[in-house]
Amino acid sequence: MLRQLYIRNYTLIEKLDVGFENGFSVITGETGAGKSIILGAIALLLGQRADSKAIKKGADKCVIEAHFDLSKYGMQPFFEQNDIEYDDTDCIIRRELTASGKSRAFINDTPASLSLLKELGEQLVDVHSQHKNLLLGKQDFQLDVVDIIAADTNEITAYRKAFTDYKDASARLERMKEEIEQNRINADFLQFQFDELDNARLTDGEQEELEQKTTAMSHTEDIKTALYETDSSLSQDGSGAVDSVKTAANAINGIADIMPEAKALYERLDSCYIELKDISGEVSSMLENVAFDPSELDSMNNRLDKLYDLEKKYRCESVAALIQERESIRTRLDTIENSGFMLKETEDEVNRLRDICSQKAGILTEMRKKASAKIETHLLDNLASLGMPNAVFRIILEPCPFNANGADKVAFMFCANKNGTIQPIYQVASGGEIARVMLSLKAMISGAVKLPTIIFDEIDTGVSGKIAEKMAYIMQQMGENNRQVINITHLPQIAALGKNHYKVLKEDTPDGTVSHMLRLSQQERINEIAQMLSGSDVTEAAINNAREFLKL
């Protein structure tokens, strides 16, 4: 729960450092004194986006820091999962804004993203501002209330997995139907394409081989000339390189007996002779085999033209890609041929997943029905104590198509008067009636969720007198069992029942207007409630009434 709040240079607040305790606390102050500013600062701590305009005029930096006691709420797993140091008695959340527009957030001095700050904030504080009463007319909010009381988180998770599987399978089925229909329309054309590619007798690597052969055949004369000149240079009688090397080898061998080093030279020349003779033989053989066949060249060029045309037609860059395209068309033709079986198989899978989804949605529905009955009973009891003994409240669950939240449509129906017609609550309930309903729902939710801190911003709007006092008693009960409830109020009946009382006031200084927040002493509290009762002119009668309110 919130133990300490520190604010520096935030709008009208130059410096605020105030401590809080558990139980039910109240905050009072005149309209415009700065209560909403404090709520705005807390909202920044809970991950709301920042605006540099919120920095106090003349300051270069704004700091908002809160200390929380988490010792009774089992929140260590959150910190371990996010690699943040954990101190259950002093969790520090800090937000810093600079005039240049930069914003930084920290959890226990570890830098944190706004999304992480928001995730933690949602587990620490629930701020119920006046505009949140509008949520009562929203179906999503109504369903959330029912689900919280039903404690069906695990069942919702299981249902959503089943729903996702069913939705994905249904999408696959629709795609398959569209593809099958399109393939049936294109079946004749697909068969023509397959036959054309299949009849082409495509072979991977054929194109490269043909291109090499046609290039060589197109240069036959150049090849023959080069081979002829090489053959003549090597094997011409009397002057060819082969005979010349042989003659040189024999000559040097003739002096090997009288000049020992000549023997090595002979061996080297003899080796050259053998190699040249071998090369000469290969060149002669190649020269005999070189021939130009115009018909063969035409045949190869025609084949290449065919391959090039197919590649252009099917937008492929190689024969391998053409083969891949042929196999793709074959697969589509096979799909058309087997489409009935495949469609039936997928339809069976969709039906199976729909049954699973329906079964899990049914479990949710039953849990929500039980929770709805519990909510109705609790709410009517509370509304009776809040001056609405004839109120009628019903939660209607109607079936609807599967969606991410199940197969239930929720409606909160209400009638404040005896024998009246129940209608959707937000169409018929007054502001004061909605405030009482929302407080009763929040009381139930706080017991189920165990939120450490709940802040109400004038939830008592539209009520007064005994009803306000009853609302205060409900907030007192909510503040029990290690919870903290803080209510911003203008009603003395509620302010008097707070365990702790804080006042927000505005002061004009030479440097401008500033807001302060003070924790009131017993006497200051008497004076504040007396002022709330009588206005600025506090009378002795108002003081006595304040003492009665405080039961002093």
Side-chain angles (χ1 to χ4, degrees):
M1 64 184 65
L2 180 63
R3 287 302 189 194
Q4 195 80 16
L5 179 64
Y6 173 80
I7 303 173
R8 180 165 59 87
N9 295 330
Y10 180 72
T11 65
L12 298 181
I13 299 175
E14 183 175 350
K15 184 177 179 181
L16 181 149
D17 191 358
V18 62
F20 292 89
E21 296 182 11
N22 62 352
F24 176 44
S25 300
V26 295
I27 299 176
T28 61
E30 295 180 1
T31 301
K35 299 185 292 297
S36 60
I37 294 175
I38 294 171
L39 287 180
I42 292 174
L44 288 178
L45 283 177
L46 302 181
Q48 181 176 295
R49 293 199 172 277
D51 186 345
S52 59
K53 294 178 181 178
I55 299 176
K56 192 176 189 303
K57 186 177 180 181
D60 59 357
K61 183 179 180 181
C62 160
V63 177
I64 304 166
E65 182 176 290
H67 294 246
F68 291 87
D69 182 350
L70 309 181
S71 57
K72 302 182 185 301
Y73 302 101
M75 296 183 65
Q76 186 170 352
F78 172 88
F79 292 84
E80 292 176 347
Q81 291 167 11
N82 293 286
D83 196 23
I84 298 174
E85 183 180 347
Y86 179 65
D87 183 344
D88 60 355
T89 60
D90 189 22
C91 171
I92 306 171
I93 298 178
R94 187 169 74 255
R95 189 84 182 271
E96 298 178 357
L97 311 179
T98 65
S100 62
K102 292 183 179 179
S103 169
R104 297 193 302 169
F106 302 86
I107 301 174
N108 288 340
D109 290 328
T110 299
S113 65
L114 286 189
S115 60
L116 188 63
L117 200 67
K118 185 175 181 180
E119 184 181 348
L120 176 60
E122 288 175 347
Q123 300 177 59
L124 294 177
V125 182
D126 175 27
V127 179
H128 183 90
S129 55
Q130 293 181 54
H131 79 272
K132 284 194 175 181
N133 285 343
L134 298 173
L135 292 174
L136 195 55
K138 304 293 184 182
Q139 190 178 124
D140 288 347
F141 173 79
Q142 295 175 0
L143 184 60
D144 284 344
V145 170
V146 174
D147 283 333
I148 288 171
I149 303 306
D152 55 9
T153 301
N154 293 335
E155 287 75 14
I156 288 177
T157 301
Y159 165 80
R160 284 178 176 163
K161 182 183 183 307
F163 174 67
T164 298
D165 293 342
Y166 166 63
K167 188 170 64 173
D168 291 346
S170 298
R172 286 198 305 273
L173 177 62
E174 291 305 311
R175 288 195 300 270
M176 180 179 290
K177 287 179 178 179
E178 291 175 4
E179 185 177 341
I180 287 172
E181 181 60 27
Q182 189 62 42
N183 284 343
R184 282 174 178 163
I185 294 173
N186 297 331
D188 290 342
F189 180 62
L190 288 172
Q191 188 64 55
F192 167 78
Q193 288 183 313
F194 175 78
D195 291 341
E196 183 177 42
L197 292 173
D198 194 49
N199 292 335
R201 307 297 180 195
L202 301 170
T203 303
D204 194 10
E206 176 188 14
Q207 180 177 327
E208 292 78 6
E209 183 180 351
L210 287 173
E211 288 173 341
Q212 188 274 327
K213 285 183 177 180
T214 55
T215 300
M217 192 171 288
S218 299
H219 296 82
T220 300
E221 290 303 318
D222 294 336
I223 294 171
K224 288 182 71 174
T225 298
L227 289 174
Y228 178 78
E229 290 179 356
T230 303
D231 184 57
S232 296
S233 298
L234 290 173
S235 59
Q236 189 173 9
D237 291 339
S239 61
V242 176
D243 288 343
S244 296
V245 172
K246 179 62 176 175
T247 299
N250 289 335
I252 200 72
N253 189 43
I255 61 171
D257 292 336
I258 58 176
M259 187 178 183
E261 58 265 39
K263 182 173 178 60
L265 293 173
Y266 165 75
E267 290 175 351
R268 289 167 63 187
L269 283 170
D270 188 57
S271 177
C272 290
Y273 166 72
I274 293 171
E275 180 68 16
L276 285 171
K277 187 176 180 181
D278 186 56
I279 293 172
S280 176
E282 287 190 25
V283 171
S284 297
S285 178
M286 291 172 66
L287 184 59
E288 291 177 2
N289 292 328
V290 172
F292 177 71
D293 185 347
S295 63
E296 184 181 359
L297 181 60
D298 287 343
S299 176
M300 288 191 293
N301 281 329
N302 289 337
R303 178 60 175 169
L304 282 173
D305 288 342
K306 175 67 173 177
L307 295 178
Y308 294 151
D309 288 343
L310 289 173
E311 288 171 357
K312 182 178 181 181
K313 181 176 182 178
Y314 290 93
R315 298 180 180 178
C316 296
E317 296 182 354
S318 65
V319 172
L322 284 173
I323 293 172
Q324 187 176 357
E325 178 68 14
R326 181 192 65 195
E327 295 310 305
S328 175
I329 295 172
R330 188 202 299 273
T331 300
R332 292 170 68 184
L333 288 170
D334 290 343
T335 299
I336 294 172
E337 185 176 344
N338 300 320
S339 60
F341 172 76
M342 295 170 62
L343 192 63
K344 177 65 166 57
E345 196 175 56
T346 306
E347 286 175 341
D348 289 344
E349 176 68 3
V350 169
N351 290 335
R352 184 184 71 82
L353 292 173
R354 182 175 58 210
D355 290 342
I356 294 175
C357 200
S358 178
Q359 183 259 337
K360 294 189 180 300
I363 292 174
L364 278 178
T365 298
E366 289 305 311
M367 294 182 72
R368 286 166 175 168
K369 285 180 179 178
K370 292 178 181 178
S372 296
K374 183 177 179 181
I375 294 170
E376 290 171 357
T377 300
H378 174 89
L379 201 64
L380 290 175
D381 288 344
N382 266 4
L383 292 178
S385 68
L386 292 171
M388 300 172 65
N390 297 318
V392 179
F393 179 83
R394 294 284 183 271
I395 298 177
I396 296 178
L397 288 177
E398 294 181 343
C400 68
F402 294 135
N403 58 66
N405 295 314
D408 300 311
K409 181 180 179 182
V410 177
F412 283 8
M413 309 296 287
F414 178 79
C415 178
N417 304 312
K418 190 174 183 179
N419 299 324
T421 303
I422 61 170
Q423 298 182 56
I425 188 167
Y426 213 78
Q427 294 181 14
V428 296
S430 67
E433 290 165 347
I434 286 176
R436 283 174 270 182
V437 171
M438 283 297 285
L439 178 61
S440 299
L441 290 174
K442 284 286 185 176
M444 281 195 77
I445 292 171
S446 68
V449 177
K450 308 296 184 188
L451 269 170
T453 300
I454 302 172
I455 301 175
F456 290 111
D457 181 14
E458 299 183 17
I459 194 170
D460 46 45
T461 299
V463 299
S464 60
K466 286 291 184 183
I467 304 304
E469 187 177 0
K470 293 290 186 181
M471 293 180 76
Y473 282 128
I474 291 175
M475 285 185 276
Q476 272 188 335
Q477 293 172 0
M478 291 172 65
E480 296 173 354
N481 300 319
N482 297 308
R483 276 199 298 279
Q484 182 181 56
V485 176
I486 301 171
N487 184 40
I488 296 173
T489 182
H490 286 290
L491 300 181
Q493 295 89 344
I494 290 180
L497 290 175
K499 175 182 174 184
N500 309 289
H501 191 155
Y502 303 84
K503 180 176 181 178
V504 178
L505 60 157
K506 188 164 59 175
E507 177 186 1
D508 292 326
T509 71
D511 297 325
T513 303
V514 294
S515 286
H516 301 286
M517 181 173 173
L518 306 173
R519 183 172 179 175
L520 301 183
S521 66
Q522 186 77 287
Q523 186 58 50
E524 289 171 334
R525 194 173 183 189
I526 293 171
N527 293 336
E528 172 68 7
I529 292 176
Q531 189 174 26
M532 294 173 73
L533 286 166
S534 64
S536 58
D537 185 16
V538 178
T539 64
E540 187 64 30
I543 293 289
N544 292 332
N545 284 339
R547 290 181 180 278
E548 289 182 17
F549 271 85
L550 291 166
K551 295 181 172 55
L552 296 177

